[in-house]
């Protein structure tokens, strides 16, 4: 069965303390890996799409990378406003048109 | 431009009742997907519709149904509500089917359903 596993479940950082979030996946045919940010009580907000191993995308303090089995979201010098839940999702090549989400990593950045 | 709009934002129902949730996609988007998000978990796929046809279905019972209208808006219906149906129901729109473009989903703010 297709799965998306994110770790850690929660991460507490001090402002300026860089770290990485992990997303491992098992799908029959990857058609894209996505990162979303979700604030409490809100819908997820799109951040990045990655399609092939070795690909990287950057946006402000965030950088997403992709290997054949996992993706990392690197957060450099985070600020309190980066506090949110970060969701990883994959679109599979078979089994219909659906995007499968992981459970997310809750990030807390303290000033 | 307006984003994805959902209604109602909050609602309370009792077990056994029926609920209808509504979604209007971003102008020009032809695909609508529905997700259920239980507190502390990631969104779970329920349905995807494109050009008024069902193009994907998740592992949900037949109590869940949906449809898409000619203007691309959509409704999610849930019959015989159970306590476990309490969740945030998210609607997402995209330009086309999965894989035809970047595949990114644009989400609404969700409908918070509480079943008592």
């Amino acid at each position: 069965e297709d799965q998306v596993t994110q770790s850690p479940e929660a991460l507490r950082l001090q402002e300026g303390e860089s770290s990485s979030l992990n997303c491992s996946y098992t799908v029959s045919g990857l058609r894209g890996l996505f990162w979303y940010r979700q604030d409490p009580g809100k819908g997820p907000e799109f951040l990045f799409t990655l399609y092939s191993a070795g690909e990287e995308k950057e946006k402000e303090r965030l950088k997403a990378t992709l290997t054949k089995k996992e993706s990392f979201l690197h957060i450099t010098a985070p600020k309190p406003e980066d506090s949110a839940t970060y969701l990883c999702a994959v679109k599979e090549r078979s089994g219909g048109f659906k995007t499968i989400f992981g459970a997310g990593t809750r990030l807390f950045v303290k000033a | 431009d307006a984003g994805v709009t959902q209604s109602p934002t909050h609602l309370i129902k009792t077990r056994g009742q029926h609920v209808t949730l509504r979604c209007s996609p971003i102008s020009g988007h032809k695909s609508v997907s529905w997700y259920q998000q239980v507190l502390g978990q990631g969104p779970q796929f329920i349905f995807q519709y494109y050009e008024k046809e069902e193009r994907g279905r998740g592992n949900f019972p037949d109590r869940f149904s949906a449809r898409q209208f000619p203007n691309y808006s959509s409704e999610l219906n849930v019959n015989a509500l159970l306590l476990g149906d309490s969740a945030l129901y998210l609607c997402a729109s995209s330009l086309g089917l999965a894989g035809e473009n970047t595949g990114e989903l644009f989400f609404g703010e969700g409908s918070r359903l509480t079943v008592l």
Side-chain angles (χ1 to χ4, degrees):
Chain A
E1 184 177 320
D2 298 332
Q3 284 194 339
V4 179
T5 303
Q6 293 188 245
S7 62
E9 291 185 6
L11 180 62
R12 297 180 184 275
L13 301 173
Q14 289 291 127
E15 184 173 5
E17 180 185 2
S18 301
S19 188
S20 296
L21 312 182
N22 177 263
C23 171
S24 61
Y25 60 91
T26 54
V27 293
S28 55
L30 183 68
R31 211 166 187 180
L33 183 139
F34 308 89
W35 283 97
Y36 289 83
R37 168 189 170 133
Q38 186 174 27
D39 293 303
K42 304 288 187 180
E45 176 186 353
F46 171 78
L47 293 173
F48 302 110
T49 306
L50 301 166
Y51 287 107
S52 55
E55 190 174 358
E56 298 182 352
K57 293 278 181 70
E58 284 190 69
K59 180 180 180 180
E60 297 181 355
R61 295 177 293 281
L62 301 176
K63 178 181 177 180
T65 61
L66 181 65
T67 70
K68 287 187 177 181
K69 291 297 182 184
E70 59 189 351
S71 176
F72 293 93
L73 184 65
H74 307 278
I75 303 176
T76 302
K79 299 181 177 181
E81 53 262 41
D82 294 322
S83 298
T85 295
Y86 290 86
L87 296 164
C88 172
V90 298
K91 190 180 299 293
E92 59 173 352
R93 200 182 298 275
S94 63
F97 298 96
K98 59 183 178 181
T99 299
I100 304 168
F101 283 81
T105 293
R106 286 170 291 162
L107 175 65
F108 305 92
V109 182
K110 186 177 179 181
Chain B
D1 285 340
V4 176
T5 57
Q6 292 187 242
S7 64
T9 55
H10 295 82
L11 67 166
I12 300 173
K13 294 285 188 178
T14 57
R15 282 176 294 176
Q17 284 189 313
H18 163 271
V19 67
T20 297
L21 307 178
R22 297 177 175 83
C23 171
S24 293
I26 292 172
S27 177
H29 285 194
K30 297 182 178 181
S31 178
V32 169
S33 299
W34 287 95
Y35 286 82
Q36 180 196 67
Q37 187 174 28
V38 174
L39 194 63
Q41 297 183 19
Q44 297 295 310
F45 173 77
I46 311 175
F47 289 110
Q48 183 178 28
Y49 276 78
Y50 176 74
E51 290 286 12
K52 302 179 288 297
E53 291 187 5
E54 182 184 305
R55 295 304 189 102
R57 173 185 284 257
N59 188 25
F60 279 81
D62 292 341
R63 299 184 296 108
F64 289 76
S65 64
R67 55 180 175 169
Q68 187 177 33
F69 299 100
N71 66 353
Y72 303 110
S73 67
S74 178
E75 282 184 356
L76 175 69
N77 294 282
V78 186
N79 293 322
L81 286 168
L82 303 174
L83 295 178
D85 294 331
S86 296
L88 180 67
Y89 288 85
L90 294 163
C91 173
S93 76
S94 57
L95 279 169
L97 284 171
E100 287 188 358
N101 46 56
T102 62
E104 65 192 66
L105 299 172
F106 297 85
F107 284 87
E109 299 288 88
S111 294
R112 172 73 62 187
L113 171 65
T114 301
V115 182
L116 302 177

